[in-house]
Amino acid sequence: FTLLTTIIAFISDNISDLIIAKRISPKQLGYYNRGCHFPSTFSNVSNNVLAGVLFPAFASYNSNILELKEKFRKTVRLLYYGMFPLFLGLIACSKPLVLTLLTDKWASSISIMQIICLYFLAIPFLQTGSQVCLATGFVKLRMVGELVKMSMTIPLLFMFVKFGIEAIAITR
């Protein structure tokens, strides 16, 4: 189930590129991808580190659900102490960052970056919950969550694609 869940999560997270490519110009897709680049890089690095650390830590509390819940809460709080300032800072600095590193040519990706940063603020909670599910053997629960996310994401993308790339970013 773990492999299937990971595949579903990958499809759900990356389906937007396929839909955008079919409905919006390559230029707009470029702005969307550039706007996602910095936030997803920060998020991927932190998630990879977390996945390696949290799974064994949560697995050690597998028999004590109350203590596991408390460790989950503390972990989420600790992650948000780091992630909120990081992503809020990225939102605040997105314009000078894009204009300095990527030039004026990519200025249209600034609003996408800001919207995607808001999306990535939810990821520490979701990633930690996912690790708890894996550590406690509730892989099916994680798979159901990914299926629900995918079943909501795809229809929203088809409904909002006609409103532009900002609307697509909001659907995430």
Side-chain angles (χ1 to χ4, degrees):
F1 282 111
T2 305
L3 177 62
L4 182 60
T5 303
T6 304
I7 291 169
I8 292 168
F10 178 79
I11 291 170
S12 177
D13 290 341
N14 294 298
I15 194 82
S16 59
D17 290 348
L18 180 64
I19 293 170
I20 294 168
K22 292 289 182 184
R23 302 283 179 121
I24 294 181
S25 70
K27 186 177 182 179
Q28 294 290 319
L29 179 60
Y31 291 139
Y32 182 81
N33 285 336
R34 222 12 90 189
C36 292
H37 179 74
F38 291 112
S40 65
T41 301
F42 288 129
S43 183
N44 289 339
V45 168
S46 64
N47 286 340
N48 289 338
V49 170
L50 288 175
V53 173
L54 293 179
F55 177 77
F58 289 144
S60 66
Y61 296 104
N62 192 1
S63 60
N64 188 344
I65 296 299
L66 292 176
E67 196 167 346
L68 180 63
K69 285 181 182 179
E70 183 56 33
K71 296 300 178 188
F72 172 78
R73 286 184 193 111
K74 284 184 179 181
T75 302
V76 169
R77 270 189 245 125
L78 181 65
L79 288 173
Y80 277 114
Y81 284 133
M83 299 307 268
F84 254 76
L86 175 73
F87 284 112
L88 292 178
L90 192 55
I91 289 170
C93 297
S94 59
K95 185 174 181 176
L97 180 73
V98 168
L99 296 178
T100 303
L101 295 178
L102 304 176
T103 70
D104 295 340
K105 176 182 173 184
W106 297 100
S108 295
S109 66
I110 294 169
S111 62
I112 303 300
M113 182 185 296
Q114 293 169 336
I115 294 167
I116 296 298
C117 282
L118 293 174
Y119 162 73
F120 279 117
L121 283 174
I123 296 299
F125 177 78
L126 298 173
Q127 179 71 16
T128 306
S130 175
Q131 292 303 312
V132 167
C133 288
L134 289 173
T136 55
F138 290 109
V139 180
K140 289 181 183 178
L141 179 64
R142 181 175 175 241
M143 186 168 72
V144 168
E146 290 297 339
L147 285 170
V148 168
K149 182 175 87 169
M150 189 165 79
S151 67
M152 292 171 58
T153 301
I154 293 172
L156 284 172
L157 280 170
F158 279 110
M159 285 190 308
F160 287 98
V161 73
K162 59 186 167 197
F163 297 111
I165 55 174
E166 285 88 4
I168 292 168
I170 290 170
T171 62
R172 284 195 80 173

